[in-house]
Amino acid sequence: MAHDHAHGSGSRRQLRIVFGIVATIFVFQLIGSVVTGSLALLIDTGHNAVDLIGIGIALFAASLVSKPTGGQKTWGFRRAEVLAAGAQATLLLGLGIYSLIEGIRRFFVPPEVPGPGMLLFGAIGLVGNLVSIVILSSSKEDSLNLKAAFLEVIADALGSVAVIFAALAIWLFGWERADAVAALVIAALIVPRAFAILRETGSILLEAAPKELDLDKVREHLEAVEHVQEVHDLHITRIDSNLPVLTAHVVLADECFYDGHAPRILKALQECLTEHHKIAIEHSTFQFDRAKDAAHETHTHD
């Protein structure tokens, strides 16, 4: 438990540093988008604004997750990070749709944009995003929030690259439509990512099993444990992105309830879940059924 607490504190510290960097980038790029009138820079600024909100939500969610369980909240606030990631992705999707619409409009009616100024502010954004990527790279798989933040910072960096290329095209070749093209490129980076995060959060909220786990194979492993005759009513859900939970009914021979086998079988089942699968399932609840009772239940349901 102490390890988890320290780990969470480290993640929050990283998020705070990245929040400060993204806030600084946002201020500079907001000034740049006003000065230059660049759509690509404006969209990149909007993307940074969404990131800023998202990282702020992630920090708040990380603080909630660290709160102890109690009362009716038997899992504490672990779902907060899922809700935060979903809100973040929704904002990104809205920004991406706006980028597509405005980018297409400006492609046909391109305004005049100063290339050198656009290049300067794009470079500032790129440097800040690269620093954020380095900070988050070591903990990006720790939670859905950190993964979302890391992917957003990468997309921001790619967006800044698009702004820089557009600025060079305008400055060196006078191709004003490059600004709109860069905005469309940034939109193409945002929309699929937003859908991916929404799909992941929706999967958790709908209590679908993690895609890394094959329920049939999990059942086969459990039924291979000595003295286990059948496994049914098997459910695997996730409380948050890193906490899978399993419940199942396990049918044992009647004598296992009288000869002391049941506790050893329970331990073997738990070891199977933590050692034999891509994701270790450390939270499990098994109900042991006697073979004759299970047969009676099957007959009754039929």
Side-chain angles (χ1 to χ4, degrees), residues 17-134:
I17 294 170
V18 171
F19 183 88
I21 293 171
V22 174
T24 304
I25 295 172
F26 169 73
V27 171
F28 276 105
Q29 289 196 325
L30 181 61
I31 294 170
S33 61
V34 171
V35 171
T36 64
S38 164
L39 175 63
L41 196 54
L42 177 63
I43 298 304
D44 206 29
T45 304
H47 194 182
N48 274 307
V50 173
D51 286 354
L52 203 57
I53 294 169
I55 293 169
I57 293 172
L59 274 168
F60 180 64
S63 299
L64 288 178
V65 168
S66 67
K67 290 182 178 295
T69 60
Q72 291 180 312
K73 298 179 178 64
T74 56
W75 288 108
F77 291 88
R78 283 183 171 272
R79 277 281 166 91
E81 66 113 337
V82 181
L83 297 173
Q88 204 170 348
T90 302
L91 290 171
L92 280 175
L93 185 60
L95 178 64
I97 292 172
Y98 169 77
S99 305
L100 288 170
I101 294 171
E102 187 65 12
I104 292 171
R105 188 186 72 80
R106 286 207 184 191
F107 184 82
F108 293 102
V109 188
E112 187 174 338
V113 178
M118 188 176 167
L119 178 63
L120 171 64
F121 291 106
I124 291 172
L126 179 60
V127 171
N129 287 319
L130 290 175
V131 173
S132 298
I133 288 171
V134 172

Side-chain angles (χ1 to χ4, degrees), residues 28 37 51 92 108 152 183-184 200 266 274:
F28 276 105
D51 286 354
L92 280 175
F108 293 102
E152 282 170 10
L184 291 172
E200 180 75 4
L266 177 60
T274 57

Side-chain angles (χ1 to χ4, degrees), residues 177-197:
R177 285 187 172 86
D179 182 48
V181 171
L184 291 172
V185 169
I186 296 171
L189 294 171
I190 292 173
V191 173
R193 222 162 25 85
F195 274 118
I197 296 171

Side-chain angles (χ1 to χ4, degrees), residues 10-300:
S11 297
R12 290 197 296 275
R13 185 166 55 252
Q14 288 176 320
L15 283 173
R16 289 191 193 100
I17 294 170
V18 171
F19 183 88
I21 293 171
V22 174
T24 304
I25 295 172
F26 169 73
V27 171
F28 276 105
Q29 289 196 325
L30 181 61
I31 294 170
S33 61
V34 171
V35 171
T36 64
S38 164
L39 175 63
L41 196 54
L42 177 63
I43 298 304
D44 206 29
T45 304
H47 194 182
N48 274 307
V50 173
D51 286 354
L52 203 57
I53 294 169
I55 293 169
I57 293 172
L59 274 168
F60 180 64
S63 299
L64 288 178
V65 168
S66 67
K67 290 182 178 295
T69 60
Q72 291 180 312
K73 298 179 178 64
T74 56
W75 288 108
F77 291 88
R78 283 183 171 272
R79 277 281 166 91
E81 66 113 337
V82 181
L83 297 173
Q88 204 170 348
T90 302
L91 290 171
L92 280 175
L93 185 60
L95 178 64
I97 292 172
Y98 169 77
S99 305
L100 288 170
I101 294 171
E102 187 65 12
I104 292 171
R105 188 186 72 80
R106 286 207 184 191
F107 184 82
F108 293 102
V109 188
E112 187 174 338
V113 178
M118 188 176 167
L119 178 63
L120 171 64
F121 291 106
I124 291 172
L126 179 60
V127 171
N129 287 319
L130 290 175
V131 173
S132 298
I133 288 171
V134 172
I135 293 171
L136 289 175
S137 61
S138 62
S139 58
K140 63 181 182 297
E141 299 299 332
D142 290 349
S143 75
L144 193 57
N145 264 330
L146 285 168
K147 183 178 180 181
F150 180 76
L151 291 175
E152 282 170 10
V153 171
I154 287 181
D156 277 342
L158 293 174
S160 295
V161 171
V163 169
I164 290 170
F165 274 104
L168 290 172
I170 293 170
W171 188 14
L172 299 177
F173 307 107
W175 190 45
E176 298 290 344
R177 285 187 172 86
D179 182 48
V181 171
L184 291 172
V185 169
I186 296 171
L189 294 171
I190 292 173
V191 173
R193 222 162 25 85
F195 274 118
I197 296 171
L198 283 173
R199 185 171 59 248
E200 180 75 4
T201 56
S203 174
I204 294 172
L205 294 174
L206 289 172
E207 299 193 341
K211 61 180 180 295
E212 295 88 353
L213 293 175
D214 184 327
L215 264 64
D216 290 332
K217 289 184 178 179
V218 172
R219 181 181 285 105
E220 287 175 10
H221 274 280
L222 294 175
E223 290 180 342
V225 172
E226 191 176 3
H227 302 295
V228 172
Q229 295 187 359
E230 182 189 354
V231 174
H232 62 95
D233 288 337
L234 173 64
H235 301 281
I236 304 176
T237 59
R238 284 178 291 173
I239 303 303
D240 62 22
S241 57
N242 289 317
L243 183 58
V245 177
L246 178 145
T247 61
H249 286 232
V250 178
V251 179
L252 304 179
D254 294 352
E255 59 269 19
C256 291
F257 292 88
Y258 311 112
D259 61 10
H261 273 132
R264 292 198 294 272
I265 296 170
L266 177 60
K267 183 179 180 181
L269 291 169
Q270 291 171 335
E271 288 176 351
C272 172
L273 293 177
T274 57
E275 297 174 3
H276 295 161
H277 306 285
K278 289 183 179 179
I279 298 177
I281 306 173
E282 297 181 353
H283 288 266
S284 57
T285 303
F286 293 104
Q287 176 176 314
F288 286 167
D289 298 331
R290 294 186 301 177
K292 65 178 182 181
D293 293 337
H296 176 70
E297 281 184 20
T298 302
H299 178 73
T300 303

